[in-house]
Amino acid sequence: EWVSGRIRHEKTWVVRDISFTVQPGEAVGIIGVNGAGKSTLLKIITGTTQPTTGSVQMNGRVAALLELGMGFHPDFSGRQNVFMAGQLLGLRKEEIAACMPAIEAFAEIGDYIDQPVRVYSSGMQVRLAFSVATVVRPDILIVDEALSVGDAYFQHKSFERIRELRKQGTTLLIVSHDKGAIQSICDRAILLSKGQKLLEGKPEAVLDYYNAAVVDVTNSQISQTVNEQGVV
């Protein structure tokens, strides 16, 4: 909206009145259309974005994969970034050094580990970021849609590791459009709509509701394109 030659921005709530608890060892999936507030909610939970009102309480060591590259510095090598990222995750240098062979083996990026991250593809960044975040079991793992950037092989491999971490007691909070992953990994799902919690329950029930709502909106949009002669 233009006012006196300047743009006036109106404040809007991105997420509001969302409250839920995740028990230790539980896996919760967050779903919703683009713009529903999923990523913002995860950023608030991890502390990278501060809420205007409300609070978040977490207990234990948290590993979060929210954005591509997890803050990797493009001019440093993959190996150097592993040490920096690992320390941000609360690991000591000695722990990271001991885990480096396992990180390299899981990421499968070969000699690129000693190349600057700026020459990495997006998939390679995800491989390395995920490998660092999960090489030592975190108490809480928070994953945004970052894994969707990787190829099908690594997506399968990473979800297998997530399942292993779950068996070992890691609490999981994940945003994904992969319905199969939500159903197979999660104990519970939360549906966000326009920044608010619309539904919470068993993954199958929440996904059925979500899919039905998407179909209703799609059919509504299609019907609006039909003119008086019934021609689209």
Side-chain angles (χ1 to χ4, degrees):
E1 180 181 358
W2 285 90
V3 179
S4 300
R6 293 179 300 172
I7 299 177
R8 186 176 72 188
H9 298 285
E10 295 184 2
K11 293 182 178 180
T12 58
W13 289 98
V14 180
V15 291
R16 191 175 190 182
D17 298 329
I18 296 177
S19 179
F20 62 93
T21 300
V22 183
Q23 300 297 330
E26 188 180 17
V28 175
I30 300 176
I31 60 176
V33 299
N34 291 337
K38 306 184 297 298
S39 295
T40 300
L41 177 61
L42 293 193
K43 288 177 181 177
I44 290 173
I45 291 171
T46 55
T48 56
T49 295
Q50 295 301 312
T52 307
T53 182
S55 61
V56 176
Q57 181 179 343
M58 287 194 296
N59 299 308
R61 190 177 73 81
V62 179
L65 284 159
L66 300 188
E67 295 175 351
L68 183 61
M70 202 175 61
F72 285 165
H73 193 294
D75 293 327
F76 290 126
S77 71
R79 192 180 303 276
Q80 290 170 315
N81 272 290
V82 165
F83 275 94
M84 292 187 288
Q87 290 177 77
L88 287 175
L89 290 169
L91 303 177
R92 300 189 310 276
K93 286 185 179 180
E94 301 78 29
E95 287 182 285
I96 302 167
C99 291
M100 186 63 76
I103 292 170
E104 292 184 65
F106 194 87
E108 295 185 79
I109 62 172
D111 293 338
Y112 276 98
I113 190 71
D114 290 308
Q115 296 295 318
V117 166
R118 57 181 156 76
V119 304
Y120 285 23
S121 67
S122 57
M124 289 166 64
Q125 290 186 50
V126 167
R127 283 171 175 253
L128 192 57
F130 184 85
S131 301
V132 177
T134 60
V135 68
V136 175
R137 187 186 73 80
D139 298 308
I140 303 169
L141 178 62
I142 299 176
V143 183
D144 204 344
E145 200 64 38
L147 292 179
S148 63
V149 177
D151 55 50
Y153 163 73
F154 192 76
Q155 285 183 38
H156 175 76
K157 184 176 177 180
S158 57
F159 275 115
E160 284 303 310
R161 172 163 281 189
I162 288 173
R163 288 187 179 93
E164 290 174 12
L165 293 173
R166 277 218 60 210
K167 291 177 183 176
Q168 296 168 21
T170 290
T171 302
L172 176 66
L173 194 58
I174 184 170
V175 165
S176 179
H177 286 103
D178 186 335
K179 299 176 181 64
I182 294 289
Q183 285 184 308
S184 64
I185 295 177
C186 297
D187 305 301
R188 184 159 45 104
I190 295 172
L191 173 60
L192 297 189
S193 177
K194 298 178 181 177
Q196 296 185 303
K197 185 173 72 174
L198 190 62
L199 189 65
E200 179 176 2
K202 289 291 183 183
E204 294 79 6
V206 175
L207 284 166
D208 285 346
Y209 183 95
Y210 172 63
N211 292 336
V214 169
V215 169
D216 286 344
V217 170
T218 303
N219 288 340
S220 174
Q221 291 174 341
I222 292 171
S223 66
Q224 290 171 3
T225 65
V226 179
N227 61 25
E228 293 178 358
Q229 286 75 38
V231 179
V232 178

